[in-house]
Amino acid sequence: EAEIAKNTDRSVIINVNIGTTVKGAVDNLDRILRILDRLRIPREKFYIHCDGALFAMMMPFLDHAPSVTFEKPIDSIAVSGHKMLGCPMPCGVTISRKEHVKNVEERIDYLNSVDTTIMGSRNGQTALYLWYSLRKKGIEGIKQDVVHCMDTARYLRDEISNLGLACRVNDLSSTVVLERPTDETFVKRWQLACEEDIAHVVVMPNITRDKIDQFVLELNEVKEKFGRWKPKRSDSPLSKLSSSSWGGGVCVAPVGDFKNAK
């Protein structure tokens, strides 16, 4: 807000995250719109893109989630097809207001049509995969997958917390963030994505409670054998797991009495 207030003579471009990569955080779109209104930024002077890669396909099926819709003054939204929908190759969809699409469209004479892609081409097979996945699952099928992911993520959080390890999950997320395991062999075996002294697990429809139980069992063995990481610094990602900005209740074990990792 302060930066916009200092630059009211300039146009504003805002990227709204609908699920960040590591922690699954969701930006508050309604709050952003209130700030723009309070600063009296005219509609033609701001552009809002909503980056919905994973969670934009999940949020519409959650009763307590805020709405992200073109009925609000947003300009575009992007969502991945290879994540929640499970398409076998990387793909995605971007939806934008028509006036913005016209800014990039170009008539191609030899095709006798208008091209609205940025690269001048796109993979038609991925569109078929998206169509097939949507038709096969349907609205109810996707909703069942979302409920499964959210419930299973909280089960994983609780099981890790019961081990005495630091662990959190945002209210609007199926990404479970935990302190980084001290055994790199374990990290590689479970293909954990790590950032400094934390790791995360993205719970998807294929993750079962049996798989989680096996993961937690091995994680406990790692803790007993190698101990726990000490936060790299006072403002490291692990230190911030106790921040009040996290949703989902307080599920953070006290951090201390560390052993040196072997």
Side-chain angles (χ1 to χ4, degrees):
E1 180 175 1
E3 289 300 315
I4 297 175
K6 289 189 298 184
N7 297 277
T8 53
D9 59 321
R10 299 183 178 184
S11 296
V12 182
I13 300 175
I14 299 175
N15 181 79
V16 177
N17 283 301
I18 307 176
T20 55
T21 302
V22 177
K23 299 177 182 177
V26 176
D27 290 334
N28 191 327
L29 173 61
D30 292 332
R31 182 184 178 192
I32 292 171
L33 293 174
R34 287 196 298 270
I35 290 172
L36 292 172
D37 182 63
R38 183 162 60 247
L39 295 177
R40 297 183 179 180
I41 306 298
R43 180 64 183 94
E44 65 274 10
K45 290 198 66 176
F46 68 82
Y47 184 105
I48 296 179
H49 173 70
C50 298
D51 181 2
L54 166 63
F55 207 69
M57 281 298 301
M58 301 176 69
M59 199 157 66
F61 301 97
L62 300 177
D63 294 335
H64 59 286
S67 64
V68 177
T69 168
F70 281 93
E71 292 180 357
K72 298 178 180 180
I74 67 172
D75 295 276
S76 58
I77 184 171
V79 62
S80 297
H82 58 284
K83 295 179 180 177
M84 192 61 197
L85 289 178
C87 293
M89 63 179 68
C91 60
V93 174
T94 298
I95 302 175
S96 180
R97 294 188 182 275
K98 287 184 177 180
E99 60 263 32
H100 301 312
V101 174
K102 288 185 177 299
N103 290 330
V104 299
E105 73 177 17
E106 183 178 359
R107 180 165 183 80
I108 309 298
D109 288 338
Y110 71 86
L111 293 178
N112 194 30
S113 67
V114 174
D115 174 44
T116 58
T117 67
I118 296 175
M119 299 295 293
S121 181
R122 57 187 167 192
N123 188 340
Q125 188 175 9
T126 57
L128 287 175
Y129 279 130
L130 281 168
W131 173 84
Y132 175 78
S133 183
L134 289 169
R135 289 295 299 266
K136 182 179 179 181
K137 292 185 177 183
I139 297 297
E140 285 303 314
I142 298 174
K143 183 175 182 178
Q144 289 176 12
D145 283 349
V146 170
V147 171
H148 167 81
C149 291
M150 299 296 285
D151 290 346
T152 307
R154 276 132 195 86
Y155 175 75
L156 174 59
R157 175 201 61 191
D158 294 342
E159 292 298 302
I160 294 176
S161 297
N162 289 338
L163 297 181
L165 298 174
C167 182
R168 298 300 285 268
V169 59
N170 275 301
D171 288 333
L172 296 175
S173 180
S174 64
T175 300
V176 180
V177 185
L178 64 149
E179 59 183 82
R180 182 172 182 161
T182 48
D183 179 23
E184 288 304 308
T185 300
F186 174 85
V187 170
K188 291 179 180 179
R189 164 172 157 71
W190 288 94
Q191 299 182 334
L192 296 180
C194 299
E195 181 182 80
E196 296 190 51
D197 46 11
I198 62 172
H200 76 204
V201 176
V202 182
V203 177
M204 300 301 288
N206 65 310
I207 301 300
T208 64
R209 294 200 175 197
D210 287 342
K211 186 174 291 186
I212 285 176
D213 290 342
Q214 182 62 36
F215 174 83
V216 172
L217 176 65
E218 294 181 21
L219 179 61
N220 188 48
E221 292 173 353
V222 169
K223 186 194 79 166
E224 294 299 319
K225 184 176 182 180
F226 298 103
R228 301 166 63 193
W229 285 112
K230 184 176 181 179
K232 291 182 178 293
R233 57 183 189 279
S234 60
D235 62 343
S236 74
L238 179 55
S239 299
K240 292 180 178 180
L241 277 186
S242 60
S243 171
S244 61
S245 63
W246 281 86
V250 178
C251 293
V252 179
V255 179
D257 298 326
F258 295 96
K259 304 174 184 177
N260 291 323
K262 295 182 181 180

